[in-house]
Coordinates of all heavy atoms in Angstrom, one line a residue:
R119 N -17.9 9.2 29.1 CA -17.3 8.2 28.2 C -18.4 7.6 27.3 O -18.2 7.5 26.1 CB -16.8 7.0 29.1 CG -16.2 5.9 28.2 CD -15.7 4.7 29.0 NE -15.3 3.6 28.1 CZ -14.1 3.5 27.6 NH1 -13.1 4.3 27.8 NH2 -13.9 2.4 26.8
K120 N -19.6 7.4 27.8 CA -20.7 6.9 27.0 C -21.0 7.9 25.9 O -21.3 7.5 24.7 CB -21.9 6.6 27.9 CG -23.1 6.0 27.1 CD -24.2 5.6 28.0 CE -25.4 5.0 27.3 NZ -25.5 5.1 25.9
F121 N -21.0 9.2 26.2 CA -21.3 10.2 25.3 C -20.3 10.2 24.1 O -20.7 10.2 22.9 CB -21.3 11.6 26.0 CG -21.6 12.7 25.0 CD1 -22.9 13.1 24.9 CD2 -20.6 13.4 24.4 CE1 -23.3 14.2 24.0 CE2 -20.9 14.5 23.5 CZ -22.3 14.9 23.4
V122 N -19.0 10.1 24.4 CA -18.0 10.1 23.4 C -18.1 8.8 22.6 O -18.0 8.8 21.3 CB -16.6 10.2 24.0 CG1 -15.5 9.9 23.0 CG2 -16.4 11.6 24.6
E123 N -18.4 7.7 23.2 CA -18.6 6.4 22.4 C -19.8 6.5 21.5 O -19.7 6.1 20.4 CB -18.8 5.2 23.4 CG -17.6 4.8 24.1 CD -17.8 3.7 25.2 OE1 -19.0 3.5 25.5 OE2 -16.8 3.1 25.6
D124 N -20.9 7.1 22.0 CA -22.1 7.2 21.1 C -21.9 8.2 20.0 O -22.4 8.0 18.9 CB -23.3 7.6 22.0 CG -23.8 6.5 22.9 OD1 -23.3 5.4 22.8 OD2 -24.5 6.8 23.9
K125 N -21.3 9.4 20.3 CA -21.3 10.5 19.3 C -20.0 10.6 18.5 O -20.0 11.2 17.4 CB -21.5 11.8 20.1 CG -22.7 11.9 20.9 CD -23.9 11.9 20.1 CE -25.2 12.1 21.0 NZ -26.4 12.0 20.3
F126 N -18.9 10.0 18.9 CA -17.7 10.2 18.2 C -16.9 8.9 17.8 O -15.8 9.0 17.3 CB -16.7 11.1 19.1 CG -17.2 12.5 19.2 CD1 -18.0 12.8 20.3 CD2 -16.8 13.4 18.3 CE1 -18.4 14.1 20.4 CE2 -17.3 14.7 18.4 CZ -18.1 15.1 19.5
D127 N -17.6 7.8 18.0 CA -17.0 6.5 17.5 C -17.0 6.5 16.0 O -18.1 6.5 15.4 CB -17.7 5.3 18.1 CG -17.1 4.0 17.7 OD1 -17.5 3.5 16.6 OD2 -16.2 3.5 18.4
S128 N -15.9 6.5 15.3 CA -15.8 6.6 13.9 C -16.6 5.4 13.2 O -17.2 5.6 12.1 CB -14.4 6.7 13.4 OG -13.6 5.6 13.8
V129 N -16.5 4.2 13.7 CA -17.2 3.1 13.1 C -18.7 3.3 13.1 O -19.4 3.1 12.1 CB -16.8 1.8 13.7 CG1 -17.6 0.6 13.2 CG2 -15.3 1.5 13.5
K130 N -19.2 3.7 14.3 CA -20.6 3.9 14.4 C -21.1 5.1 13.5 O -22.1 5.0 12.9 CB -21.0 4.3 15.9 CG -21.0 3.1 16.8 CD -21.4 3.5 18.2 CE -21.2 2.4 19.2 NZ -21.6 2.8 20.6
L131 N -20.3 6.1 13.5 CA -20.6 7.3 12.6 C -20.7 6.8 11.1 O -21.6 7.2 10.4 CB -19.6 8.4 12.7 CG -19.8 9.3 13.9 CD1 -18.6 10.2 14.0 CD2 -21.1 10.1 13.9
F132 N -19.7 6.0 10.7 CA -19.7 5.6 9.3 C -20.9 4.7 9.0 O -21.5 4.8 8.0 CB -18.4 4.8 9.1 CG -18.3 4.2 7.7 CD1 -18.1 5.1 6.6 CD2 -18.5 2.9 7.5 CE1 -18.0 4.6 5.3 CE2 -18.5 2.4 6.2 CZ -18.2 3.2 5.1
E133 N -21.2 3.8 9.9 CA -22.3 2.9 9.7 C -23.6 3.6 9.6 O -24.4 3.4 8.7 CB -22.4 1.8 10.8 CG -21.3 0.8 10.7 CD -21.2 -0.1 12.0 OE1 -21.9 0.1 12.9 OE2 -20.4 -1.1 11.9
K134 N -23.8 4.6 10.5 CA -25.0 5.4 10.5 C -25.1 6.2 9.2 O -26.2 6.3 8.5 CB -25.1 6.4 11.6 CG -25.4 5.7 13.0 CD -25.4 6.8 14.1 CE -25.6 6.2 15.4 NZ -25.5 7.2 16.5
C135 N -24.0 6.7 8.8 CA -24.0 7.5 7.5 C -24.2 6.7 6.3 O -25.0 7.0 5.4 CB -22.7 8.3 7.4 SG -22.6 9.4 6.0
A136 N -23.6 5.5 6.3 CA -23.8 4.6 5.1 C -25.2 4.2 5.0 O -25.8 4.2 3.9 CB -22.8 3.4 5.2
D137 N -25.8 3.8 6.1 CA -27.3 3.4 6.1 C -28.1 4.5 5.6 O -29.0 4.3 4.8 CB -27.7 2.9 7.5 CG -27.1 1.6 7.9 OD1 -26.5 0.9 7.1 OD2 -27.1 1.3 9.2
F138 N -27.9 5.7 6.2 CA -28.7 6.9 5.8 C -28.6 7.2 4.3 O -29.6 7.3 3.6 CB -28.2 8.1 6.6 CG -28.8 9.4 6.1 CD1 -30.1 9.7 6.4 CD2 -28.0 10.3 5.4 CE1 -30.7 10.9 5.9 CE2 -28.6 11.5 4.9 CZ -29.9 11.8 5.2
Y139 N -27.4 7.2 3.8 CA -27.2 7.5 2.4 C -27.7 6.4 1.4 O -28.2 6.7 0.4 CB -25.7 7.8 2.0 CG -25.4 9.2 2.5 CD1 -24.5 9.5 3.5 CD2 -26.0 10.3 1.8 CE1 -24.3 10.8 3.9 CE2 -25.7 11.6 2.2 CZ -24.8 11.8 3.3 OH -24.6 13.1 3.7
Q140 N -27.6 5.2 1.9 CA -28.2 4.1 1.0 C -29.7 4.3 0.9 O -30.3 4.2 -0.2 CB -27.9 2.7 1.6 CG -28.2 1.6 0.7 CD -27.5 1.7 -0.6 OE1 -26.3 2.0 -0.6 NE2 -28.2 1.5 -1.7
E141 N -30.3 4.6 2.0 CA -31.8 4.9 2.0 C -32.1 6.1 1.2 O -33.1 6.1 0.4 CB -32.3 5.1 3.4 CG -33.8 5.3 3.5 CD -34.3 5.5 4.9 OE1 -33.7 4.9 5.9 OE2 -35.3 6.3 5.1
V142 N -31.3 7.2 1.3 CA -31.6 8.4 0.5 C -31.4 8.1 -0.9 O -32.2 8.6 -1.8 CB -30.6 9.5 1.0 CG1 -30.6 10.6 0.0 CG2 -31.0 10.0 2.4
I143 N -30.4 7.4 -1.3 CA -30.1 7.2 -2.7 C -31.3 6.3 -3.3 O -31.8 6.6 -4.4 CB -28.7 6.5 -2.9 CG1 -27.6 7.5 -2.7 CG2 -28.6 5.8 -4.3 CD1 -26.2 6.9 -2.6
E144 N -31.7 5.3 -2.6 CA -32.8 4.5 -3.1 C -34.1 5.2 -3.2 O -34.9 5.0 -4.1 CB -33.0 3.3 -2.1 CG -31.8 2.3 -2.2 CD -31.9 1.2 -1.1 OE1 -32.8 1.2 -0.3 OE2 -30.9 0.4 -1.1
N145 N -34.4 6.2 -2.3 CA -35.6 6.9 -2.3 C -35.5 8.2 -3.1 O -36.5 8.9 -3.2 CB -36.1 7.2 -0.9 CG -36.4 5.9 -0.2 OD1 -36.9 4.9 -0.8 ND2 -36.1 5.9 1.1
E146 N -34.3 8.6 -3.5 CA -34.1 9.8 -4.2 C -34.7 11.0 -3.5 O -35.4 11.9 -4.1 CB -34.7 9.7 -5.7 CG -34.0 8.7 -6.5 CD -34.5 8.6 -7.9 OE1 -35.0 9.6 -8.4 OE2 -34.3 7.6 -8.5
T147 N -34.4 11.2 -2.2 CA -35.0 12.2 -1.4 C -34.0 13.3 -1.0 O -34.3 14.1 -0.2 CB -35.6 11.7 -0.1 OG1 -34.5 11.0 0.6 CG2 -36.7 10.7 -0.4
I148 N -32.8 13.4 -1.7 CA -31.8 14.3 -1.3 C -31.1 14.9 -2.5 O -30.9 14.2 -3.5 CB -30.8 13.7 -0.3 CG1 -29.9 14.8 0.3 CG2 -29.9 12.7 -1.0 CD1 -29.0 14.2 1.5
T149 N -30.8 16.2 -2.5 CA -30.0 16.8 -3.6 C -28.5 16.5 -3.4 O -28.1 16.2 -2.2 CB -30.3 18.3 -3.6 OG1 -29.7 18.9 -2.4 CG2 -31.8 18.6 -3.7
M150 N -27.8 16.7 -4.4 CA -26.3 16.5 -4.3 C -25.7 17.5 -3.3 O -24.8 17.2 -2.6 CB -25.6 16.7 -5.6 CG -25.8 15.4 -6.5 SD -25.1 13.9 -5.8 CE -23.4 14.2 -6.0
E151 N -26.3 18.7 -3.3 CA -25.8 19.8 -2.3 C -26.1 19.3 -0.9 O -25.2 19.5 0.0 CB -26.5 21.1 -2.6 CG -26.1 21.8 -3.9 CD -26.8 21.2 -5.1 OE1 -27.8 20.4 -5.0 OE2 -26.4 21.5 -6.2

Side-chain angles (χ1 to χ4, degrees):
R119 179 180 173 94
K120 184 175 180 344
F121 182 88
V122 170
E123 287 174 345
D124 290 347
K125 304 292 184 190
F126 291 91
D127 180 273
S128 58
V129 173
K130 286 181 184 178
L131 283 172
F132 176 76
E133 289 171 354
K134 285 179 186 176
C135 185
D137 291 346
F138 170 75
Y139 280 110
Q140 190 59 43
E141 182 179 328
V142 165
I143 288 169
E144 289 171 2
N145 296 326
E146 298 183 23
T147 59
I148 191 169
T149 67
M150 283 302 285
E151 290 80 12

